[in-house]
């Protein structure tokens, strides 16, 4: 059982690397969806006693539906409707961002055990995986030029926060998790619509051009 | 002892067959009958009976290239543990020698290519050096992970009896290492996601362009050396993935079956993948390095 949990955590981190290195927009969206679906398995694997089964099940189904199905579908719909080209166009190149990601992951795994936590860890890999995924999300948000890639970065960032939240899943009511998921969903939904409209008005989703705006 | 000799004989005799299997799988995938698996033996025999042609602009370096290349790779084979048998030579830190014997072979191939004075070969040499400088960190990180996992500094120890224990303790790290090692094997042997060994007149080829001016016995030495190198990497990969040494003839049979599987895997990958654009190759190799570094980090904590 523990070996499987470890495998899921490691797959999540490997998907982080893939997200940083891939240049295909569709592949990136699919990878983010796969990561979300993998995260949905974690609450079930980490559940410690049977009493919280309902809570855990709600958490996992919610994550699977929102992160694994609805948001990726929305993003794929957005790039189809806005006819976005498939290239990602990074500001920081793929190899530097991959190396930065690798450094972040190494630091996360090296120093996470030094972090004081209010609750006992359920699994050794929760904190380093969460930190790595948050770091990956940040890198994606900062270093990508197109709005869609930035949305994916935001999604990955939230995935990291979700992993961190697993630490507290015993104490946190389902409502809070549901609220966070809803927030994420609303954010991506709004961004999807905004992207669609920006694209129709200005024929480009390049956020670099926004900095050239003058009144 | 006798078995170790059997492994060594297999190392010297079977590599061309490995390339034959790769080509057979590729042609089956393409719906062709394909050449027989022993085609390379016939090619080698034909080339060895020919004379060599040397350009007047070349020096002794050009003639030394294939000889040194083959000798270095064969010596690296002495350090490699095959299947159940220990390596012929082994000492602490011999993995560094292993990596740099392969480096020496590459160095002389590159020198020989530069010695022709042809700009085309110089281009291939530049590419070879660029990509191998990226593949080398990945290889070393793989070997370091193995050294850390098994607590041994020699190839014989890394791929020896301590390996099953390491698989039990740190399976994910070793899995990442195996994937990275496979990518390095594809890159070092000029297989498809990095380089296409079958094209001869394209501007994207890397290894093949460096050996264009070699002819006759020299070309035979180069082809044979390349197949030995594929066999070496295949041996390391198979040993890592099988995880445990099996003694005796059963071990030998299992090892050879594993190598055939490795060759078939390479063939399948070559059939279903397109070659990467040259700018994407460093991305793949850095990705392999990052994966193996991640494996090392998992072991270090």
């Amino acid at each position: 059982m523990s070996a499987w949990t470890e495998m899921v955590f490691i797959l999540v981190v490997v998907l982080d690397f893939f997200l940083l290195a891939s240049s295909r927009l569709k592949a990136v969206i699919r990878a983010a969806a796969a990561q979300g679906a993998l995260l949905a398995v974690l609450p079930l694997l980490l559940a410690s006693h049977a009493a919280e089964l309902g809570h855990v099940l709600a958490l996992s189904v919610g994550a699977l539906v929102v992160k694994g199905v609805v948001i990726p579908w929305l993003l794929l719909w957005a790039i189809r409707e806005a006819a976005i080209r498939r290239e990602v166009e990074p500001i920081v190149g793929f190899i530097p961002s991959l190396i930065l990601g690798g450094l972040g992951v190494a630091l996360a795994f090296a120093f996470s055990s030094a972090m004081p936590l209010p609750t006992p860890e359920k699994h050794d890999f929760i904190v380093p995986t969460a930190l790595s995924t948050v770091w990956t999300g940040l890198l994606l948000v900062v270093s990508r030029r197109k709005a869609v890639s930035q949305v994916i970065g935001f999604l990955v960032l939230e995935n990291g926060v979700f992993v961190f939240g697993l630490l507290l899943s015993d104490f946190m009511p389902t409502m809070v998790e549901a609220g966070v998921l809803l927030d994420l969903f609303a954010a991506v939904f709004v961004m999807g619509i905004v992207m669609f409209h920006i694209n129709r008005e200005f024929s480009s989703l390049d956020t670099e051009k926004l900095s050239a705006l003058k009144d | 002892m006798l078995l170790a000799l059997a492994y060594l004989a297999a190392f010297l005799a079977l590599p061309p067959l490995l390339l034959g299997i790769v080509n057979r799988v590729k042609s089956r995938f393409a719906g062709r009958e394909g050449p027989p698996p022993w085609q390379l033996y016939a090619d080698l025999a034909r080339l060895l009976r020919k004379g060599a042609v040397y350009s007047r602009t070349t020096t002794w370096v050009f003639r030394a290239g294939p000889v040194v290349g083959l000798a270095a790779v064969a010596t690296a084979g002495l350090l490699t543990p095959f299947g159940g048998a220990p390596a012929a030579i082994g000492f602490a830190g011999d993995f560094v020698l292993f990596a740099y014997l392969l480096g020496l072979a590459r160095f002389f191939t590159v020198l020989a290519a530069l010695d022709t004075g042809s700009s085309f070969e110089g281009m291939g040499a530049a590419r070879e050096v660029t990509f191998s400088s990226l593949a080398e960190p990945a290889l070393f990180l793989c070997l370091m992970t193995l050294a850390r996992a098994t607590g041994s500094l020699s190839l014989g120890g890394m791929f020896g009896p301590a390996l099953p224990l390491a698989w039990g303790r740190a399976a994910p790290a070793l899995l990442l290492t195996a994937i990275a090692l496979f990518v390095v094997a594809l890159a070092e042997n000029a297989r498809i996601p990095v380089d296409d060994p079958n094209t001869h007149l394209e501007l994207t080829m890397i290894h093949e362009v460096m050996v264009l001016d070699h002819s006759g016995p020299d070309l035979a030495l180069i082809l044979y050396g390349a197949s030995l190198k594929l066999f070496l990497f295949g041996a390391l990969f198979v040993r890592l993935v099988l995880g445990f040494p099996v003694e005796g003839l059963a071990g030998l049979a299992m090892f050879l079956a594993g190598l055939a599987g490795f060759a078939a895997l390479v063939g399948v990958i070559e059939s279903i993948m397109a070659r990467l654009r040259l700018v994407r190759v460093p991305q793949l190799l850095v990705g392999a390095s990052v994966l193996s570094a991640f494996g090392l980090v998992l072991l270090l904590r």
Side-chain angles (χ1 to χ4, degrees), chain B residues 59-146:
Chain B
T59 62
W60 63 271
V61 175
F62 183 73
R63 298 177 192 219
V67 181
V68 176
L70 180 58
V73 173
T75 315
L78 291 180
L79 297 169
T80 316
F82 299 111
I89 309 171
F91 50 88
D94 62 359
F95 69 94
V96 180
L97 182 60
F98 173 82
Y100 283 110
L101 276 171
L102 295 181
L104 180 68
R106 186 185 309 118
F107 179 66
F108 260 85
T109 316
V110 166
L111 272 194
L114 290 175
D115 194 45
T116 60
S118 147
S119 50
F120 195 38
E121 300 216 3
M123 182 197 71
R127 286 173 180 171
E128 171 94 0
V129 172
T130 311
F131 294 150
S132 61
S133 72
L134 290 169
E136 205 167 86
L139 178 63
F140 266 107
L141 282 167
C142 286
L143 292 175
M144 273 162 69
T145 311
L146 282 167

Side-chain angles (χ1 to χ4, degrees), chain A residues 6-7 10 13-14 17 21 23 87 94-95 98-99 102 105-106 109 112-113 124-125 128, chain B residues 134 169-173 175-176 277 279-280 282-283 286-288 290-291 294 297-298 301:
Chain A
E6 201 172 307
M7 220 60 201
I10 286 167
V13 178
V14 169
F17 291 141
S23 57
E87 300 287 329
F94 293 111
I95 294 172
L98 193 53
I99 291 172
V105 170
F109 273 81
S112 63
S113 53
D124 279 352
F125 282 5
Chain B
L134 290 169
R169 216 174 37 237
L175 202 62
L176 292 173
R277 277 159 54 198
V279 290
R280 293 262 176 271
Q283 218 168 307
V286 171
V290 169
L291 273 191
F294 180 43
V297 165
L298 284 180
R301 73 190 299 268

Side-chain angles (χ1 to χ4, degrees), chain A residues 70-104:
Chain A
V70 177
I71 291 178
W73 176 80
L74 200 67
L75 286 174
L76 286 173
W77 171 83
I79 64 169
R80 197 175 56 238
E81 287 298 307
I84 295 164
R85 285 180 302 120
R86 63 182 185 187
E87 300 287 329
V88 170
E89 291 190 39
I91 297 171
V92 179
F94 293 111
I95 294 172
S97 53
L98 193 53
I99 291 172
L100 277 176
L103 273 179

Side-chain angles (χ1 to χ4, degrees), chain B residues 60 77 93 113 118 183 187 205 207 236 243:
Chain B
W60 63 271
S118 147
V183 174
M205 59 192 195
H207 180 76
L236 293 189

Side-chain angles (χ1 to χ4, degrees), chain B residues 190-282:
Chain B
R191 306 313 299 187
I192 248 183
V194 176
D195 183 15
D196 190 346
N198 288 337
T199 56
H200 269 275
L201 273 178
E202 275 188 70
L203 289 173
T204 53
M205 59 192 195
I206 303 166
H207 180 76
E208 297 306 315
V209 74
M210 291 196 303
V211 301
L212 273 181
D213 279 5
H214 291 282
S215 54
D218 285 347
L219 187 57
L221 292 186
I222 285 176
L223 289 177
Y224 182 57
S227 64
L228 284 186
K229 200 168 161 187
L230 182 65
F231 192 90
L232 277 187
F233 275 98
L236 293 189
F237 180 74
V238 167
R239 233 6 232 95
L240 177 57
V241 171
L242 280 184
F244 49 93
V246 185
E247 303 297 327
L249 282 177
L252 182 61
M254 211 159 150
F255 174 66
L256 293 179
L259 268 178
F262 171 76
L265 184 61
V266 172
V268 170
I269 286 181
E270 295 208 3
S271 306
I272 61 175
M273 272 189 84
R275 183 177 47 204
L276 293 171
R277 277 159 54 198
L278 274 180
V279 290
R280 293 262 176 271
V281 173

Side-chain angles (χ1 to χ4, degrees), chain A residues 40-202:
Chain A
V41 184
L42 281 177
L44 296 177
L45 285 173
L46 290 173
S48 42
H49 37 87
E52 52 183 311
L53 192 66
H55 174 190
V56 160
L57 216 57
L59 206 62
S60 139
V61 170
L64 182 65
V65 170
V66 176
K67 286 177 199 284
V69 181
V70 177
I71 291 178
W73 176 80
L74 200 67
L75 286 174
L76 286 173
W77 171 83
I79 64 169
R80 197 175 56 238
E81 287 298 307
I84 295 164
R85 285 180 302 120
R86 63 182 185 187
E87 300 287 329
V88 170
E89 291 190 39
I91 297 171
V92 179
F94 293 111
I95 294 172
S97 53
L98 193 53
I99 291 172
L100 277 176
L103 273 179
V105 170
L107 290 177
F109 273 81
F111 292 121
S112 63
S113 53
M115 205 162 152
L117 291 170
T119 58
E121 283 183 74
K122 287 181 183 169
H123 194 280
D124 279 352
F125 282 5
I126 289 187
V127 179
T129 308
L131 290 179
S132 321
T133 309
V134 167
W135 171 241
T136 306
L138 266 175
L139 266 181
L140 285 175
V141 170
V142 171
S143 72
R144 298 292 188 255
R145 195 167 291 170
K146 292 291 169 72
V148 189
S149 324
Q150 291 169 357
V151 173
I152 296 166
F154 180 64
L155 188 59
V156 173
L157 193 83
E158 214 288 321
N159 282 349
V161 175
F162 181 84
V163 176
F164 218 97
L166 288 176
L167 272 180
L168 303 173
S169 63
D170 285 350
F171 311 104
M172 195 150 55
T174 319
M175 258 350 259
V176 177
E177 287 283 352
V180 171
L181 277 180
L182 197 67
D183 266 1
L184 176 74
F185 177 68
V188 174
F189 192 72
V190 169
M191 276 195 248
I193 291 172
V194 166
M195 265 184 320
F196 184 59
H197 282 283
I198 291 178
N199 191 54
R200 214 167 45 184
E201 296 297 321
F202 300 109

